Amino acid sequence: MTDETLLQRENSEYWSRRGFLRAATGAAVAAGVSAVAAAQQTKPNAADDVQLSQIHAATEQPEKIPGPFESRDQRTGFAIVGLGRLALGQILPAMAKSKYCKPVALVSGDRAKAQKIAAQYGIPAGSIYDYTTYDQLAKNPAVQVIYIVLPNSMHAEYTIRGAKAGKHILCEKPMATTAHDCQRMIDACNAAGVKLMIAYRSQYEANDVALVKMIRAGRFGKLRQIVATNSQNQGDPSQWRLKKALAGGGCMPDVGVYCLNAARFLSNEEPYEVQASVVQPKDDPRFTEVESSCQFIARFPSGLVALCNSGYDAHKSQFLRVEGVEGWAEMHPAFAYTGIKLQYSKLVEGEEILHAPAIEEKDQFAAEMDHMALCVQQNLRPHTPGEEGLQDQIVTDAIYESAKTGRAVKIPAPKAPTRGPEPSAG
Ligand code: NAD
């Protein structure tokens, strides 16, 4: 019996033995989701959706049952590579909130940890890999997408090996640590005929999606300034985030990239020039290799200017403001996993009106993974493909060059749009 047939059998036996309900419930409990919500995700198909009678008056908002969700068999299978904070804290729990995704394999250097997590999420033991057996994912038909959640400089190697294994790739931000690596990742995925998406969760987050729509509809008039900050205070000086070889830089590629990417996708323009400074204190053991803060100005062809700041040595602070000729919008916090708040102002008949729209909070990671699954299922170009990550890296390189030379640095315009179609409301 081939590896492939064995795995197929192991998968189907596993699911018929334990049932998806139990596995999904385990995952949902780990995610803090109720067993009822998990059970709603186990419905075999939309036609079997349970309908409840409405008990409130017609003047009340109707109750909504989430879904329909796809049955386990129809969901896209994800292998999660790297079982660190993001994978365990956000990505795996978000699977239980997704409509189209399921975790089917894990890749980790720590087998005991992977076994515990596999048991929680109903992943068969035969679908646990390490970094040397990673390429054997090629023989696992349950895996359609590899989600890379490793330190930044490892993204290129695992994307290229994953593409060679014939799998679609969802890769965490920042895409890599050099533009050369970003291009190699794009080329490898193109050569293998697989999709490459960069996990820019903000572009799938409900408040950001609403703000993009308002800007495109001209609600704030011509954009003049975007002001953004994203800071957090790092502790452990030995962590990979503070090592240049693994992280590529300090706060800029990790959290500053949110400000840069937001300025690009909100304006739908590409900066032609940046001017930047970085701070790297000599007396702080955390910053022997990378910057503690980064400030940059990005100039766009329409005259729009983005003023962005990021820090690794200031208390958590996440803010974004868009200023147009006819109004402004801000998110405070911006870029957060939850609790993002959007408000905007506009002059109406001589009165400055402040709006705080009620936007239903949805899990950004579930939305982002569902987008990837739909792109695979329907053969679509992702909204945030490799080209989107490459452009951020090109601008990041220009930011570092400007900080080093003290001069403004020009950025060539990308040859083609870096983003695919807007994600559907899902
Ligand atoms: P982490 O340190 O918590 O986890 C990294 C994982 O990689 C660990 O399981 C570690 O064991 C493994 N690993 C393998 N080889 C390693 C090596 N040589 N050195 C260090 N670790 C190694 O990091 P994280 O916070 O989960 O970040 C992982 C990726 O996700 C990064 O690219 C980061 O930028 C990105 N990230 C994205 C978001 C987001 O909101 N989208 C948030 C956090 C992190």
Side-chain angles (χ1 to χ4, degrees):
M1 197 179 286
T2 64
D3 287 357
E4 209 161 303
T5 332
L6 257 174
L7 267 169
Q8 259 165 348
R9 209 174 80 177
E10 196 181 359
N11 261 308
S12 68
E13 278 174 2
Y14 183 87
W15 290 109
S16 53
R17 203 166 57 238
R18 293 191 53 177
F20 180 49
L21 176 59
R22 196 164 150 205
T25 305
V29 167
V33 180
S34 74
V36 175
Q40 281 164 0
Q41 298 188 36
T42 65
K43 292 185 291 255
N45 60 57
D48 291 342
D49 274 354
V50 174
Q51 299 298 326
L52 300 179
S53 62
Q54 297 290 334
I55 56 170
H56 298 300
T59 50
E60 300 296 318
Q61 190 177 327
E63 287 173 312
K64 277 191 233 147
I65 306 294
F69 295 96
E70 283 191 336
S71 75
R72 180 157 180 100
D73 288 348
Q74 291 164 324
R75 286 170 177 244
T76 298
F78 281 65
I80 310 297
V81 188
L83 301 179
R85 283 159 196 81
L86 187 70
L88 302 192
Q90 304 299 326
I91 292 168
L92 280 162
M95 289 280 177
K97 299 175 201 162
S98 76
K99 294 180 182 174
Y100 310 117
C101 311
K102 59 183 172 185
V104 294
L106 300 175
V107 181
S108 170
D110 182 342
R111 178 125 194 127
K113 175 168 73 171
Q115 277 170 334
K116 275 189 204 162
I117 295 160
Q120 283 174 358
Y121 284 91
I123 295 167
S127 294
I128 299 175
Y129 302 83
D130 63 26
Y131 299 114
T132 55
T133 58
Y134 175 71
D135 309 276
Q136 291 173 19
L137 280 171
K139 297 186 203 142
N140 188 336
V143 176
Q144 288 158 284
V145 175
I146 296 177
Y147 192 163
I148 296 167
V149 203
L150 291 165
N152 308 343
S153 69
M154 298 173 75
H155 294 179
E157 177 189 340
Y158 285 86
T159 293
I160 294 165
R161 282 169 66 184
K164 282 188 182 149
K167 306 297 179 182
H168 303 286
I169 306 290
L170 175 58
C171 177
E172 260 311 321
K173 51 53 60 183
M175 181 174 177
T177 52
T178 65
H180 177 69
D181 273 357
C182 294
Q183 192 59 57
R184 290 198 306 128
M185 293 159 77
I186 293 169
D187 293 345
C189 290
N190 285 341
V194 298
K195 297 190 187 302
L196 171 59
M197 172 171 150
I198 309 305
Y200 283 114
R201 61 180 167 79
S202 292
Q203 295 204 41
Y204 305 91
E205 190 278 323
N207 292 272
D208 288 82
V209 170
L211 182 55
V212 167
K213 283 192 184 132
M214 286 190 263
I215 292 171
R216 299 289 182 273
R219 182 171 295 222
F220 311 112
K222 197 171 155 101
L223 297 191
R224 287 299 188 202
Q225 284 201 97
I226 292 178
V227 181
T229 192
N230 196 4
S231 295
Q232 51 184 240
N233 201 3
Q234 291 295 348
D236 179 8
S238 69
Q239 61 180 300
W240 68 260
R241 277 187 167 75
L242 302 170
K243 304 291 164 212
K244 189 147 196 254
L246 282 163
C251 56
M252 177 56 218
D254 187 19
V255 291
V257 74
Y258 285 89
C259 306
L260 168 60
N261 193 249
R264 292 180 52 236
F265 77 76
L266 291 173
S267 66
N268 204 25
E269 285 193 69
E270 295 298 343
Y272 66 88
E273 183 179 82
V274 286
Q275 203 152 10
S277 68
V278 294
V279 177
Q280 190 175 351
K282 289 198 167 44
D283 56 350
D284 190 327
R286 296 174 297 174
F287 304 113
T288 53
E289 297 188 24
V290 299
E291 77 278 2
S292 60
S293 73
C294 175
Q295 302 73 35
F296 70 87
I297 298 170
R299 300 191 179 96
F300 294 78
S302 68
L304 167 74
V305 173
L307 306 165
C308 300
N309 174 67
S310 57
Y312 257 180
D313 62 350
H315 188 68
K316 193 172 185 115
S317 172
Q318 301 179 302
F319 174 79
L320 177 126
R321 179 188 273 255
V322 176
E323 297 173 2
V325 174
E326 296 169 32
W328 56 260
E330 69 179 31
M331 287 196 227
H332 192 200
F335 316 127
Y337 292 156
T338 57
I340 291 177
K341 286 197 177 59
L342 172 67
Q343 60 171 2
Y344 59 93
S345 178
K346 196 171 157 53
L347 197 69
V348 179
E349 293 172 2
E351 292 275 330
E352 191 72 23
I353 308 286
L354 192 65
H355 301 263
I359 294 174
E360 190 188 345
E361 181 143 27
K362 291 188 184 151
D363 190 292
Q364 300 163 55
F365 291 93
E368 159 211 294
M369 291 188 292
D370 276 340
H371 179 72
M372 180 69 183
L374 283 179
C375 288
V376 169
Q377 290 171 14
Q378 299 172 9
N379 192 22
L380 303 172
R381 185 182 190 220
H383 179 55
T384 52
E387 289 77 5
E388 178 75 342
L390 168 63
Q391 194 60 26
D392 274 344
Q393 186 62 50
I394 289 170
V395 180
T396 300
D397 290 345
I399 285 169
Y400 282 130
E401 193 189 331
S402 172
K404 198 162 113 190
T405 60
R407 289 199 295 272
V409 173
K410 298 273 182 228
I411 301 157
K415 292 189 185 74
T418 62
R419 284 182 289 281
E422 297 288 335
S424 70

